[in-house]
Amino acid sequence: MRAFANLYTRLDQTTKTNTKVAELARFFDQANDEDRLWTVAILSHRRPKRTVNTTLLRHWAAELAGIPLWLFEESYHVVGDLSEAIALTLPKAHSSNKQGLTYWIEYIKALDKLEETEKKQRVTDAWMQMDYTERLVFNKLIMGGFRIGVSQKLMVRALAQSTAIDENTLAHRIMGDWTPDKTTFEDLILTKDPLEDVSKPYPFYLAYALEDSPDDLGLPKDWIAERKWDGIRGQLIVRKGELFVWSRGEELVTDKFPEYHPLAEILPNGTVIDGEILPYKDGQPLTFNDLQTRIGRKNVTKKILEKAPVVLVAYDLLEWEGQDIRERPMEERRALLEQLLEQTETDGILMLSERVNFSTWQELEPERQNARQYHSEGLMLKHKGSPYRSGRKKGDWWKWKVEPLTIDAVMIYAQRGHGRRANLYTDFTFAVWDDKQLVPFTKAYSGLTDKEFREITAWVRRNTIDRFGPVRSVEPAHVFEIAFEGIRKSSRHKSGVALRFPRISRWRKDKPLKEANTLEDLHQLLKLYEEGG
Amino acid sequence: MALLEFTNKGIYCPPADVYIDPWRPVSKALITHGHADHSRWGHQHYLCTEAAAPVIRYRLGNINLSTVQFGEATTINGVKFSFHPAGHIVGSAQIRVEHKGEVWVASGDYKVAPDGLSEPFEPVRCHTFITESTFGLPVYRWKPQDTVFEEINDWWRQNRDQGKVSVLAAYALGKAQRLLHGIDAEIGPIFTHGAIEKTTQVMRKQGIRLPETRRITQQYKSKDFEGSLVLATPSATGSNWMRRFKSASVGIASGWMALRGTRRRRAADRGFVLSDHADWNELNDAIKATGAERVAVTHGYTNLFARWLREECGLDAWEAATEYEGESLDKDDAEDMENEKDA
Ligand SMILES: [Zn+2]
Ligand SMILES: [Zn+2]
């Protein structure tokens, strides 16, 4: 695994995209086909499953290192990454190994069926013939969460450099339902005609957020606006009488959404639609939370189907009559989509993403501000002439999100961060006033600058009232503005509300403690904006 | 009454009425070494090793300072004091205190593996040992320094071949000179940040041989730095001072670089794991070698390391509150700032 571990180190040592791509391309040039295929798999989220639970790994590592478990746990907290903590703590290796990436992945997969004692033997054997980086990589592979700091997009670019095959073609070829066990590098990457595999989706086109006003985008008449729905981006494919549904995570989710199954008969063969998988009932979208709960379940029961049925809100048409039409202008694709939906009776399963009409950007602004009324996240702006591109590209599509909701709250607990922020207090619990009491209602961590984190860390150290494990309760003294995307009722929280995507937006040094918001204010927001209410 | 006590001014020895590394002004201070958290302003009288004195004088100016040799005994009010090498930086000492048959050792900062520059660490038998614990967790274990210097040399060579400047961040006193001593000076010219150059000059004057360096001034143009190694203070690498280099790779040499998280946070291109503090194994070995049954733990992971010593090593260990700071990396070091003003 030395070569792959070295690759890992080099990728870790640079933040520069070009260097990363060059290193990866060099690895692809030198590795054998098996290792190349596994590398493609790992970097396209096809990681091997976790075969040993992390509690066992902690115990074995502590035992091997001759330290008590509590000390290992504390060390882990400081390091912030379990694979790294284990790799750093283990004693020196007895020997080295010459096996490649594929060998070790097979080794890890084979652990799955073993008894605990055998697992332990195999894992410790492996550890004791690896250096620090090999252990780090091995641990990450065992835990099933291997990440290497290279996006799929960059991996494809490196692969393109190494194989001299066009990037988009490769992006297409590596999509779909494959694993390294079922194919070869030759078949998957080097062989032409990707449409042979009828399930293959197109890469999603993702938009960037619009930070400034849309005035710089040019003439409003060249653009269309749609609502940005808060579901899961999906691609629906009907080819050769078969239906496939892909999520943006490039996961085949056909089985999770039986609602769509009739479309295999209804839609003509050679149709691919880009849309939003949206939970929808009684003419209203439900909350993202409803969808998430549904996806988390193993089986789609009748009850779930009744509670959170989904529709597909169609945004775009990518393939029509078996032709890839992504290069045609958006306006043309949309006309075809509208025509298709008009002529097809889908029993409400397939809905057109309605256009929001406007003639000036000013007219559009209130529509964006109203987004919450529609349970949407804001607007999508799309240039009428735009092709359907691959991946996240600037210029033709923009998401124009609604301003977040905010509330001023008092910090009452602080916890040290993980990983790169292990020495700083970065995780805080915030409270609002309820009469003369402070009621905690949310945690938030991101949003301050490193300088501010250092400042608050120094303050926390001096103003701790009490410690509970890694958490410190502090003197209520500082007011922060908390921004969030949504609010809903929650019986699990003392405050009775739960926030969506809370983060710190500002340190309100100007605000006296007494002027922080109240629980009453929170419940007012709940009334106004409750998700799915 | 204990022979040494932790008071709000520093480590105090009641029978002798002196302090070791005090952090508030006192009348008589015994100083382990010249780092800012151990040797502070405002004491009426200072005592340190002869090798530590030049830097302390340079930093604190006109102070009333006496020196001793390593191993030489000084008796104050019937209490016997002697200084023994701590291996941390040149002149750094552990202070042995003996009174009526009871022996304490205050180690200041120390490392056990020899660095070729500081006087090698000497284990001193005692009843009570005051240890640091800057890196007192089992995740901190250093590679031999030769391996680290090879990594640094490779990095410098590679940058040089690409016409880049290699900017290496290191603490001005100790780490910078250890780097100068350990790197391969044949690779190219070496420049220094003003704060580092001044400390280096002081050490050269006391007879320590270090490769030639050039202090960075306005007279140098960005072209002059191409292919060179620049030793800079940690605070300088995050400042406008860096603008003078056109294309630079930034490295940091510090024990904290053992963790990928810290490396990322510092946004450095490379982290080299090189510390002037003992790692986990060294701390444990050093404590064992003293034969001490009682251990006071200062700077670092004090509560965790003390618990380890208590529960797993059977020692009477406790966490002692001090104002020592360990290897500085995150905060802007006061000493850097002070020296930068006139740099
Ligand atoms: Zn020191
Ligand atoms: Zn210190």
Side-chain angles (χ1 to χ4, degrees), chain B residues 10 35 62 76 107 118 136 144 171 179 190 208 212 214 229 238 247 255 274 291-292 298:
Chain B
H35 278 149
N62 191 18
I76 306 169
S107 66
S118 333
Y171 201 77
L179 288 167
I190 304 170
I208 292 161
E212 192 198 320
R214 287 178 238 176
L229 177 73
S247 166
L274 192 76
T298 67

Side-chain angles (χ1 to χ4, degrees), chain A residues 285-318:
Chain A
L286 304 174
T287 71
F288 183 74
N289 210 45
D290 292 313
L291 185 56
Q292 222 169 16
T293 335
R294 171 172 167 167
I295 285 177
R297 297 277 156 75
K298 255 220 171 89
N299 301 310
V300 188
T301 59
K302 230 184 182 158
K303 209 171 141 199
I304 290 176
L305 286 176
E306 262 164 38
K307 212 180 146 212
V310 295
V311 297
L312 189 83
V313 181
Y315 292 134
D316 211 326
L317 189 63
L318 313 186

Side-chain angles (χ1 to χ4, degrees), chain A residues 26-312:
Chain A
R26 199 157 65 127
F27 175 82
F28 279 131
D29 287 346
Q30 291 166 359
N32 63 31
D33 274 2
E34 283 184 315
D35 286 2
R36 289 156 98 181
L37 187 61
W38 263 114
T39 306
V40 172
I42 288 169
L43 293 176
S44 59
H45 316 289
R46 291 172 178 82
R47 303 180 280 244
K49 267 196 334 215
R50 171 181 299 182
T51 50
V52 183
N53 81 42
T54 54
T55 314
L56 290 175
L57 292 172
R58 292 170 211 226
H59 278 94
W60 301 340
E63 192 187 317
L64 214 56
I67 57 168
L69 192 64
W70 67 262
L71 184 55
F72 178 80
E73 297 292 353
E74 294 284 0
S75 304
Y76 163 39
H77 188 84
V78 167
V79 175
D81 177 305
L82 185 56
S83 301
E84 190 186 348
I86 293 174
L88 287 167
T89 314
L90 291 173
K92 267 207 189 92
H94 299 318
S95 56
S96 59
N97 76 89
K98 288 204 167 57
Q99 278 82 20
L101 174 66
T102 306
Y103 171 89
W104 288 113
I105 288 176
E106 295 303 335
Y107 188 100
I108 287 166
K109 282 165 65 186
L111 294 171
D112 199 23
K113 304 237 153 45
L114 301 181
E115 294 292 317
E116 193 183 310
T117 46
E118 272 180 281
K119 277 189 186 180
K120 180 179 176 185
Q121 191 58 47
R122 304 274 291 165
V123 170
T124 49
D125 278 353
W127 278 340
M128 293 316 286
Q129 47 181 310
M130 292 179 174
D131 68 11
Y132 162 75
T133 326
E134 290 176 313
R135 283 170 176 172
L136 182 64
V137 169
F138 178 78
N139 293 344
K140 287 187 176 289
L141 288 170
I142 284 196
M143 287 184 223
F146 190 86
R147 266 185 215 100
I148 202 168
V150 175
S151 64
Q152 182 165 332
K153 193 168 109 186
L154 292 186
M155 181 270 285
V156 168
R157 191 176 299 166
L159 194 59
Q161 283 180 13
S162 175
T163 57
I165 299 171
D166 165 71
E167 265 184 62
N168 282 342
T169 309
L170 282 175
H172 197 142
R173 282 184 193 176
I174 65 163
M175 287 188 124
D177 188 18
W178 62 275
T179 65
D181 303 325
K182 293 188 207 140
T183 185
T184 62
F185 190 78
E186 181 74 33
D187 286 349
L188 182 80
I189 304 295
L190 305 176
T191 311
K192 277 181 201 149
D193 199 3
L195 277 182
E196 268 171 24
D197 182 352
V198 293
S199 79
K200 246 173 206 182
Y202 295 99
F204 283 86
Y205 179 13
L206 307 171
Y208 273 94
L210 187 67
E211 307 289 351
D212 307 318
S213 96
D215 291 345
D216 300 335
L217 295 181
L219 297 174
K221 71 172 179 54
D222 293 334
W223 294 78
I224 71 155
E226 299 169 83
R227 302 213 178 277
K228 184 183 177 326
W229 297 107
D230 189 13
I232 295 175
R233 195 68 186 283
Q235 200 175 116
L236 190 136
I237 299 170
V238 176
R239 291 183 193 128
K240 298 196 175 163
E242 300 258 5
L243 173 95
F244 305 94
V245 183
W246 293 88
S247 76
R248 208 200 92 183
E250 282 139 36
E251 238 187 306
L252 195 54
V253 291
T254 319
D255 295 341
K256 299 241 174 209
F257 302 107
E259 290 97 325
Y260 301 142
H261 293 181
L263 295 173
E265 321 258 294
I266 297 170
L267 292 174
N269 277 316
T271 304
V272 177
I273 293 170
D274 173 23
E276 192 88 12
I277 301 170
L278 196 67
Y280 195 89
K281 201 179 173 180
D282 305 328
Q284 275 252 28
L286 304 174
T287 71
F288 183 74
N289 210 45
D290 292 313
L291 185 56
Q292 222 169 16
T293 335
R294 171 172 167 167
I295 285 177
R297 297 277 156 75
K298 255 220 171 89
N299 301 310
V300 188
T301 59
K302 230 184 182 158
K303 209 171 141 199
I304 290 176
L305 286 176
E306 262 164 38
K307 212 180 146 212
V310 295
V311 297
L312 189 83

Side-chain angles (χ1 to χ4, degrees), chain B residues 11-279:
Chain B
I11 303 173
Y12 181 57
C13 178
D17 192 24
V18 300
Y19 286 83
I20 296 175
D21 292 353
W23 47 86
R24 301 264 185 286
V26 302
S27 62
K28 196 161 172 64
L30 276 59
I31 304 293
T32 59
H33 68 290
H35 278 149
D37 53 330
H38 293 261
S39 64
R40 303 200 187 222
W41 295 87
H43 311 310
Q44 284 168 36
H45 189 268
Y46 292 76
L47 181 69
C48 68
T49 67
E50 194 175 286
V55 165
I56 293 176
R57 275 213 180 86
Y58 158 70
R59 282 197 46 247
L60 301 182
N62 191 18
I63 53 169
N64 182 1
L65 175 73
S66 332
T67 63
V68 288
Q69 300 292 336
F70 279 114
E72 179 191 332
T74 310
T75 304
I76 306 169
N77 293 345
V79 183
K80 197 171 120 190
F81 293 90
S82 55
F83 290 61
H84 305 266
H88 172 57
I89 59 172
V90 171
S92 69
Q94 314 171 67
I95 299 177
R96 182 182 184 277
V97 186
E98 184 184 342
H99 185 56
K100 294 181 181 161
E102 192 186 348
V103 180
W104 285 55
V105 170
S107 66
D109 295 339
Y110 67 94
K111 75 167 174 294
V112 178
D115 60 19
L117 199 61
S118 333
E119 304 80 2
F121 177 87
E122 178 191 315
V124 182
R125 305 283 299 176
C126 58
H127 301 106
T128 309
F129 186 56
I130 301 173
T131 185
E132 61 144 313
S133 65
T134 309
F135 294 104
L137 285 180
V139 290
Y140 299 109
R141 280 173 312 170
W142 313 145
K143 287 189 246 183
Q145 73 165 5
D146 290 352
T147 314
V148 181
F149 282 124
E150 253 167 59
E151 289 172 12
I152 298 175
N153 289 336
D154 285 347
W155 167 73
W156 180 10
R157 255 185 234 112
Q158 221 172 55
N159 292 333
R160 179 198 62 189
D161 296 347
Q162 295 169 7
K164 281 191 201 165
V165 191
S166 304
V167 180
L168 189 52
Y171 201 77
L173 169 56
K175 187 69 62 61
Q177 293 75 32
R178 182 177 174 194
L179 288 167
L180 280 174
H181 184 260
I183 43 111
D184 179 0
E186 303 285 301
I187 297 172
I190 304 170
F191 287 90
T192 50
H193 178 273
I196 290 176
E197 184 63 26
K198 286 185 175 178
T199 317
T200 306
Q201 290 296 1
V202 173
M203 291 177 68
R204 280 201 184 100
K205 245 185 248 163
Q206 72 186 95
I208 292 161
R209 293 179 52 139
L210 295 167
E212 192 198 320
T213 53
R214 287 178 238 176
R215 176 185 170 169
I216 292 180
T217 56
Q218 299 296 342
Q219 77 177 81
Y220 293 109
K221 299 279 165 284
S222 74
K223 192 105 189 73
D224 302 326
F225 299 117
E226 270 175 28
S228 71
L229 177 73
V230 172
L231 289 181
T233 56
S235 55
T237 57
S239 73
N240 287 340
W241 186 82
M242 287 293 290
R243 289 220 195 119
R244 65 191 77 220
F245 311 117
K246 221 172 43 214
S247 166
S249 175
V250 179
I252 298 178
S254 160
W256 299 115
M257 292 296 117
L259 306 189
R260 289 162 63 238
T262 0
R263 222 149 58 217
R264 291 231 187 95
R265 179 146 50 97
R266 297 290 303 193
D269 299 300
R270 286 297 296 275
F272 300 103
V273 187
L274 192 76
S275 176
D276 289 326
H277 295 265
D279 71 359

Side-chain angles (χ1 to χ4, degrees), chain A residues 402-418:
Chain A
V402 64
E403 298 282 349
L405 299 166
T406 61
I407 196 143
D408 292 328
V410 181
M411 195 237 288
I412 56 167
Y413 298 114
Q415 187 173 351
R416 263 187 320 201
H418 270 291

